[in-house]
Amino acid sequence: MNHLPQAWGRPRDDVYGSYDHSHFQTAGPNQHTQSPIVTGTSVVAAKYKDGVVIAADNLASYGSLARFTDVKRLRKFNDTVVVGFGGDVSDMQYLDRLLNSLEIRENYSTTEDPLNAKNLHTYLSKVMYKRRSDFNPLWNHLLIAGLDGQAKPFLASADLLGTTFSSPTLATGFGAHLAQPILRRAIPDEASVQNVSKEEAVKLVKECMKVLFYRDARSMDKYSLATITKEGVELNEDLKLENQSWAFAEQIRGYGTQTA
Amino acid sequence: MFRNNYDNDSVTFSPQGRIFQVEYAQEAVKQGSVVVGVVSKTHAVLAAIKRNAEELSSYQKKVIAIDSHYGIALAGLASDARVLSNFMKQQSLASRLTYGRAIALSEITARIADRAQTNTQQYGRRPYGVGLLVAGVDAKGPHLFEFQPSGVTQEMVACGIGARSQMARTYLERHLESFENSSREELVKHALRALKESLSQDKELTVENTSIGVSGVDENFALYEGQDIAEWLDATFENREGGGDDEGGDSMETDS
């Protein structure tokens, strides 16, 4: 052994030749994810009288390639919460594992007061903010839907910067531009939530999913939809868009092969 | 000095299956002044006798508010209680910050119990020389937990620990049935009466030596001391002559 601690545990120079220390030095600062790779598109959600409805399609895109067509982007957490993930799919899977371990920890603890949607939103927003403060963000936009401590419908978002926002209707990604106006037309404010039934809310969100499929090139006609009420979570991960009408496509001018 | 060969550390069992260091720690609890806790359907109350080391010193802290929904009362080594209460404050705050959830009393009690148990199983450590009553209200309503240096915790309807606490427990056992439906005021009175029982003949409950902690459903944990408890003392011990008039001018005024 050498008297220099730097050389301890490394192959001996006199036997193996001098060690190439450049393996230990990366050029420049740490590199973190600066862009998402495999992505999921919009998540759409709306509150109604006695619960929340949330939907996301089952596609994971690799750039513009529709790479994976059966990715479940809605995740159930105990019996009162569903988290919808937009953005990077590998980061979604990381968060999924994180929520799994949290759920196990909760189930083993003595507490009889399970985490509700509000608690989970607080937790996830802190996770997101911590990671952005490390300059290593989780490239997701989350919608957390469920019931709060008073068993009232709860819907809020947390994004890759740790920004939080709450509203009677929410949509991430492309949906924030295309679905949100449709949702707001039906449910403009908190007061109007009381006038919306489950059937109306589900119909509204399905309509949004259809509009998004028409106009979002990174979307798919297979999707998942969940409703969360006091009775629990009803999650369907194998829905297909119905009654599509592409007649409007005839009217589109300005790109492609047509000339004005 | 030593009772036997098996009390040098807390990791060695005696042939009778006892851990003497833990039992000595429990003796430290018995030397602390008495504290009492009672719960009803709506409230949890802690009451304690404070001691002053000497005439010129202040009174020892016996009831500590941990979070807005609960507090503790201690009997035994105050410095050990301070370490435990700091830990409890940290854990409670962490729960509020990361989940926006008030920590359950069963959960925080389990966490200090785990720490206390570790001390009874690792060489070079000593058990906490303090017993705690953890009382407050969480999502599942009012609770009272007893914590012992051995790491044993139990949920109680009413409990008393500390010097001569057997008398307080006897009072509590006699009135066990009435606690559940007691009002806030009645519950405080029961706690004060139980406390009084364990006092020696020549001692009185005064505004100086008594601490009361109250929390309830939709009511934050609050610590009452000094003049704030004068009315309770008067109402509880009506027939007593000039409550603690030998203690000085302060308590005289409360009788007017």
Side-chain angles (χ1 to χ4, degrees):
Chain A
M1 201 189 298
N2 192 309
H3 68 281
L4 296 169
Q6 289 91 319
W8 295 353
R10 307 248 162 85
R12 279 168 56 183
D13 289 358
D14 54 335
V15 178
Y16 298 100
S18 68
Y19 193 79
D20 181 2
H21 286 275
S22 67
H23 290 300
F24 287 91
Q25 247 110 49
T26 48
N30 275 339
Q31 298 275 303
H32 291 310
T33 310
Q34 298 300 311
S35 60
I37 311 295
V38 178
T39 58
T41 183
S42 324
V43 186
V44 179
K47 284 203 252 189
Y48 61 91
K49 193 154 68 73
D50 14 60
V52 192
V53 53
I54 182 168
D57 70 24
N58 294 350
L59 179 70
S61 309
Y62 180 66
S64 59
L65 175 72
R67 181 65 183 82
F68 305 103
T69 54
D70 58 349
V71 176
K72 313 293 191 283
R73 296 196 292 125
L74 297 186
R75 187 206 191 275
K76 196 172 105 137
F77 187 89
N78 62 40
D79 287 323
T80 56
V81 198
V82 169
V83 185
F85 296 86
D88 193 88
V89 169
S90 64
D91 286 352
M92 170 184 88
Q93 291 169 341
Y94 166 80
L95 282 166
D96 180 53
R97 290 195 295 274
L98 195 72
L99 291 177
N100 264 331
S101 65
L102 178 66
E103 205 163 18
I104 290 168
R105 197 156 12 114
E106 277 289 299
N107 289 335
Y108 272 111
S109 85
T110 59
T111 180
E112 291 162 52
D113 176 26
L115 289 170
N116 55 48
K118 201 175 179 189
N119 298 145
L120 200 69
H121 174 250
T122 307
Y123 173 71
L124 285 170
S125 69
K126 309 263 152 160
V127 171
M128 301 304 272
Y129 181 68
K130 203 282 177 184
R131 289 292 296 262
R132 87 101 220 198
S133 300
D134 290 345
F135 285 82
N136 188 17
L138 292 164
W139 221 279
N140 298 105
H141 194 156
L142 314 175
L143 293 191
I144 294 98
L147 304 175
D148 67 9
Q150 279 71 249
K152 293 255 160 47
F154 176 91
L155 175 62
S157 81
D159 69 7
L160 76 170
L161 302 176
T163 314
T164 59
F165 190 72
S166 188
S167 163
T169 62
L170 281 173
T172 74
F174 220 94
H177 303 95
L178 280 177
Q180 192 64 267
I182 301 170
L183 292 164
R184 282 194 188 143
R185 203 162 53 206
I187 310 171
D189 51 26
E190 198 62 52
S192 52
V193 170
Q194 291 307 318
N195 309 323
V196 182
S197 69
K198 176 179 174 177
E199 289 68 33
E200 289 166 331
V202 168
K203 191 168 161 240
L204 177 68
V205 166
K206 284 185 170 177
E207 183 65 25
C208 287
M209 292 307 286
K210 190 155 62 177
V211 170
L212 282 168
F213 179 57
Y214 286 154
R215 322 225 74 135
D216 178 1
R218 308 284 170 267
S219 69
M220 198 179 58
D221 54 353
K222 260 170 57 190
Y223 67 103
S224 308
L225 185 137
T227 53
I228 308 100
T229 55
K230 277 184 199 148
E231 281 68 51
V233 173
E234 213 177 292
L235 174 60
N236 192 336
E237 293 179 317
D238 190 28
L239 288 167
K240 196 107 165 87
L241 284 179
E242 285 160 2
N243 305 320
Q244 288 175 45
S245 164
W246 288 86
F248 73 95
E250 302 286 322
Q251 312 303 316
I252 297 175
R253 289 287 178 277
Y255 61 90
T257 51
Q258 314 106 341
T259 47
Chain B
M1 183 68 213
F2 295 111
R3 223 194 276 181
N4 54 54
N5 290 326
Y6 298 98
D7 66 353
N8 282 314
D9 57 61
S10 64
V11 299
T12 312
F13 277 108
S14 81
Q16 286 77 40
R18 298 160 65 179
I19 298 171
F20 283 103
Q21 280 299 324
V22 171
E23 293 184 19
Y24 298 164
Q26 272 156 343
E27 287 303 314
V29 177
K30 286 185 194 155
Q31 296 192 18
S33 62
V34 64
V35 292
V36 163
V38 208
V39 274
S40 70
K41 259 192 276 185
T42 53
H43 288 84
V45 169
L46 293 171
I49 299 285
K50 294 183 288 184
R51 278 202 287 232
N52 53 344
E54 49 175 306
E55 235 5 54
L56 297 172
S57 73
S58 62
Y59 285 82
Q60 186 196 14
K61 205 190 267 180
K62 293 290 283 182
V63 180
I64 304 171
I66 304 291
D67 199 343
S68 54
H69 66 299
Y70 78 102
I72 58 169
L74 60 108
L77 297 184
S79 46
D80 283 12
R82 204 180 60 238
V83 169
L84 278 172
S85 70
N86 282 343
F87 172 75
M88 292 167 90
K89 283 175 184 174
Q90 276 178 13
Q91 295 287 310
S92 305
L93 207 53
S95 173
R96 282 199 189 266
L97 285 175
T98 43
Y99 304 109
R101 176 174 67 169
I103 198 164
L105 265 69
S106 58
E107 179 65 23
I108 190 67
T109 314
R111 287 188 198 179
I112 55 169
D114 286 351
R115 294 193 112 207
Q117 196 280 335
T118 309
N119 287 343
T120 68
Q121 219 180 3
Q122 282 181 16
Y123 193 80
R125 307 193 69 117
R126 69 162 173 83
Y128 289 112
V130 72
L132 302 178
L133 297 182
V134 184
V137 178
D138 62 22
K140 288 279 172 275
H143 295 284
L144 171 67
F145 284 91
E146 181 196 7
F147 161 85
Q148 293 174 352
S150 56
V152 169
T153 60
Q154 287 175 110
E155 173 146 29
M156 311 292 277
V157 175
C159 185
I161 54 172
R164 298 161 57 87
S165 58
Q166 183 54 53
M167 304 288 283
R169 283 200 298 276
T170 307
Y171 173 91
L172 294 171
E173 280 164 21
R174 270 209 310 273
H175 295 84
L176 186 61
E177 310 301 326
S178 56
F179 297 147
E180 188 178 342
N181 292 309
S182 284
S183 70
R184 185 178 189 268
E185 299 304 302
E186 282 165 355
L187 209 59
V188 171
K189 282 185 186 174
H190 276 305
L192 286 173
R193 288 202 197 99
L195 211 57
K196 177 76 170 53
E197 291 288 314
S198 65
L199 238 48
S200 55
Q201 282 300 317
D202 56 329
K203 286 256 189 71
E204 282 274 4
L205 292 181
T206 67
V207 289
E208 280 86 20
N209 72 4
T210 312
S211 276
I212 298 173
V214 185
S215 68
V217 176
D218 300 323
E219 178 189 340
N220 282 345
F221 184 87
L223 176 59
Y224 298 93
E225 285 180 321
Q227 288 306 315
D228 293 342
I229 62 167
E231 274 189 34
W232 275 325
L233 287 178
D234 289 345
T236 313
F237 310 109
E238 281 164 28
N239 50 1
R240 147 177 110 163
E241 279 179 43
D245 50 6
D246 53 338
E247 290 290 321
D250 268 351
S251 40
M252 293 281 282
E253 287 168 24
T254 63
D255 290 327
S256 58

